[in-house]
Amino acid sequence: MRRHEPTLDPAVAAELEALEAALAGHPAAEPELAALVRDVRAEAPAMAPDFRARLDRRVERGFERPLPRRRFASLRPMIPALAVAGCVLAALVAVVLSAGGGSNDSASSAGGTAAPLAAREQSSDSAKGSGASGSAGTASSGSALAAPAPSAPARQRRVERSTRLDLTTTDVQAASDGVVRATQATGGFVQSSQVSTGDGRSTASFVLRVPTSRLDDALARLSRLGHVKSVQQSADDITNVYNGASTRLAEARAERRGLLRALAKATTAAQITSLRARIADNRRALQRDQRELDAVRNRANYATIGLELTGVARKHATVPSGGPWTPGDAAHDAARVLEVSAGVALIALAVLVPLSLVGAAGGFAAVAVRRRRREAALSS
Amino acid sequence: MAIDQAPTTVAASFEALYRTSADAVYAYAASLLRDRSAAEEVTAAAFERAFRKQRSFDPRRGTQRAWLFGIARNAALDELRRRKRSAELSVEPADDEAAPEGEAEAAERRAAVRAALAALHPRERELIALKFHAGLSNAEIADVLGVSASNAGTRVHRALVRLREACHAPS
């Protein structure tokens, strides 16, 4: 659509009309103007006959010699589409890379899903072979992986392991049932539990005891019951405690054997009474030392898992990977795909729009410069 | 947007365009360049470009002749830039040796017109060529020059006035 054009001056328009009449050979045209038209036309440069003949032949043959075509000229119409595809691809790569970086971050932080935890399990298993150090202490999830484990030099080192696991789930009750099943499946037991469900936030707390040798298996099973919000592991070297209790028990037994031998040799009633009193004291010491040793052995053989389950709304929860794939899961996945697609499109737009603006500005500038240069040729 | 046409129709259309416009294009190029050989090159190049691009012609954006003269103009201006030369008259002078009796006045008038044309600014000479030789309307000239129709009319009028003044100027 053309802009509104200013009208010509009436005098100018009249003269132009007269010129048009003269050019058209109208009988009523101004004689002077008609003569000028004739004279100017008579002065029109005429083609040389040989050039005319050559040009006629070229036209008849359809300009056989093609103009030198630019390479990839056929691809020019596809340039916008190729640019869009390139930007989308770059955005996709950026999204994938950023997503990969995010999962690495979550693996090293407190939060994470079952997959990072499985990675920790492998690290933990491999760390077992390194043996236990003499010091004991509590460590976060990262340092806990390198904590001493009691397996290799089992007779020399005794290690008490404990884990704190925080999960979020959309169904606390179902997850609680899963906790019990997972604990029993690994040969452990629920030491204590507290489940709170209501209109508000549902929570559940568990203290689980599982065989230390099955701790990693138990953690893997438990972490599949929800989204792992945080996990903390600690290892406490109780070798000295164990050895002390064991030594005291051995000493008490030795003392009992000595007292029994002395009782067998006793001849007087007073000796016998005194020895029996000491034997009774020794029996109580033996029982106490045995209980102490059993307790220490239990601490080493059974790991403690403190588990906290927190109920969350559906949109904040991660679908447990172990359950069946339901229509709800499909809807969630579809929404996620749409989110990612929208993100990719947004990034592509963010790249494409400035590039297009710069390209368009460059194109307009190039056309304007070329036009100006051409016009300048007439001015010189 | 290009118009889809059958190849034979396109070829016939171009043939007709060539037959009706070849002389005018050459005259326009020669008026602009004032060099016969350059005008021949430009004319040939213009028709060849038009032939290669004929499918890109869009009738909604102007007439076929305006489109052709736009191509010719670009080729001529490119040639002018390349040669760095503008208004050197090398057009063969008209044969005014043997002007018959009674035509002497006409020959004298034509000589004055020739001198007036040579004295015009290249832009004005271009407008005279487009109007007198090519016979383009003001709207078509506007398409060729990339200006509005009223602006083209004003320019044509100004060139005509200058031509008339130059014709009546004492030699």
Side-chain angles (χ1 to χ4, degrees):
Chain A
M1 184 177 160
R2 293 197 175 190
R3 289 177 301 175
H4 176 69
E5 295 177 2
T7 53
L8 282 171
D9 181 81
V12 171
E15 286 195 44
L16 287 175
E17 277 184 25
L19 175 62
E20 295 292 344
L23 287 168
H26 199 278
E30 289 180 27
E32 187 260 342
L33 205 50
L36 181 64
V37 167
R38 275 196 308 273
D39 293 339
V40 170
R41 282 180 170 169
E43 287 301 312
M47 269 195 270
D50 57 336
F51 169 69
R52 178 67 187 241
R54 285 200 311 273
L55 190 57
D56 284 350
R57 280 197 299 275
R58 292 189 65 193
V59 171
E60 285 169 8
R61 293 171 186 170
F63 294 95
E64 287 171 338
R65 181 184 60 81
L67 284 175
R69 298 189 69 172
R70 291 179 184 172
R71 293 179 69 186
F72 310 116
S74 60
L75 292 177
R76 288 183 67 180
M78 298 171 64
I79 285 176
L82 290 173
V84 170
C87 290
V88 169
L89 190 63
L92 203 58
V93 169
V95 167
V96 169
L97 289 178
S98 64
S103 64
N104 288 339
D105 291 342
S106 64
S108 61
S109 66
T113 60
L117 188 57
R120 287 191 203 108
E121 289 166 21
Q122 292 180 349
S123 301
S124 178
D125 290 341
S126 63
K128 286 178 181 176
S130 62
S133 64
S135 63
T138 301
S140 66
S141 60
S143 60
L145 298 179
S151 58
R155 291 190 175 182
Q156 288 80 23
R157 314 305 302 179
R158 297 281 173 170
V159 177
E160 179 184 20
R161 299 183 68 185
S162 60
T163 300
R164 165 93 186 173
L165 185 61
D166 289 337
L167 300 179
T168 56
T169 178
T170 55
D171 190 346
V172 171
Q173 190 60 54
S176 298
D177 296 341
V179 168
V180 176
R181 284 195 299 272
T183 305
Q184 292 173 344
T186 53
F189 59 91
V190 178
Q191 184 169 299
S192 67
S193 66
Q194 183 177 3
V195 179
S196 170
T197 57
D199 294 339
R201 194 165 131 167
S202 300
T203 58
S205 302
F206 295 89
V207 176
L208 311 174
R209 301 298 304 275
V210 297
T212 304
S213 59
R214 304 283 305 274
L215 175 61
D216 293 336
D217 181 23
L219 289 176
R221 287 170 183 264
L222 292 171
S223 59
R224 282 197 289 267
L225 296 172
H227 176 67
V228 178
K229 195 175 171 187
S230 69
V231 56
Q232 291 179 324
Q233 292 183 311
S234 65
D236 193 2
D237 192 333
I238 56 173
T239 305
N240 292 337
V241 179
Y242 179 85
N243 289 341
S246 182
T247 301
R248 283 193 295 276
L249 182 61
E251 288 173 351
R253 282 174 177 163
E255 183 184 3
R256 178 181 174 79
R257 284 194 295 273
L259 287 172
L260 289 175
R261 280 197 298 271
L263 182 62
K265 293 176 183 175
T267 53
T268 66
Q271 285 179 327
I272 291 170
T273 303
S274 172
L275 285 169
R276 279 183 174 167
R278 290 181 60 189
I279 287 172
D281 291 341
N282 175 259
R283 186 184 300 116
R284 285 189 290 274
L286 263 177
Q287 289 173 343
R288 188 187 64 242
D289 293 340
Q290 184 64 54
R291 280 198 302 272
E292 188 179 340
L293 184 62
D294 288 344
V296 175
R297 186 182 288 129
N298 194 31
R299 285 168 59 191
N301 290 343
Y302 279 83
T304 304
I305 300 175
L307 176 61
E308 289 287 334
L309 281 175
T310 306
V312 293
R314 180 79 190 173
K315 63 180 180 180
H316 297 303
T318 300
V319 178
S321 58
W325 199 60
T326 62
D329 298 338
H332 179 270
D333 291 346
R336 182 65 185 148
V337 168
L338 287 176
E339 282 179 14
V340 172
S341 301
V344 169
L346 195 61
I347 293 172
L349 273 179
V351 174
L352 197 60
V353 167
L355 281 180
S356 303
L357 289 176
V358 170
F364 283 128
V367 169
V369 167
R370 190 168 57 180
R371 185 183 176 88
R372 176 171 289 191
R373 284 179 178 171
R374 278 176 172 160
E375 295 296 332
L378 270 183
S379 301
S380 60
Chain B
M1 182 180 156
I3 299 297
D4 289 333
Q5 289 177 298
T8 51
T9 310
V10 171
S13 173
F14 181 78
E15 186 85 12
L17 180 67
Y18 171 74
R19 296 293 168 205
T20 56
S21 307
D23 290 329
V25 168
Y26 175 81
Y28 169 66
S31 300
L32 211 55
L33 298 168
R34 315 224 70 197
D35 183 317
R36 276 193 178 279
S37 63
E40 288 177 354
E41 287 178 19
V42 165
T43 302
F47 277 106
E48 185 167 358
R49 285 183 199 174
F51 179 78
R52 308 280 178 211
K53 295 181 175 179
Q54 55 188 314
R55 287 187 179 279
S56 68
F57 166 66
D58 184 358
R60 286 172 300 184
R61 296 174 63 181
T63 65
Q64 206 174 18
R65 278 172 66 83
W67 170 72
L68 173 65
F69 275 91
I71 294 173
R73 183 173 195 263
N74 286 340
L77 296 186
D78 288 342
E79 179 66 20
L80 267 183
R81 285 179 55 211
R82 194 160 44 241
R83 297 193 173 204
K84 301 285 185 186
R85 116 177 37 149
S86 56
E88 255 182 68
L89 179 61
S90 63
V91 179
E92 289 180 359
D95 182 15
D96 44 77
E97 287 179 358
E101 192 69 23
E103 293 185 5
E105 186 184 349
E108 188 179 335
R109 211 172 51 241
R110 284 176 55 184
V113 166
R114 192 181 315 136
L117 286 171
L120 288 179
H121 189 276
R123 291 187 186 280
E124 293 164 344
R125 200 163 50 242
E126 176 188 27
L127 286 162
I128 296 298
L130 289 173
K131 196 68 188 175
F132 286 72
H133 303 331
L136 297 186
S137 68
N138 291 348
E140 288 173 322
I141 292 174
D143 287 339
V144 173
L145 302 182
V147 298
S148 67
S150 62
N151 188 272
T154 304
R155 290 187 189 197
V156 168
H157 177 260
R158 193 179 302 139
L160 177 64
V161 170
R162 289 274 297 121
L163 178 63
R164 279 172 149 174
E165 288 173 354
C167 286
H168 294 120
S171 56

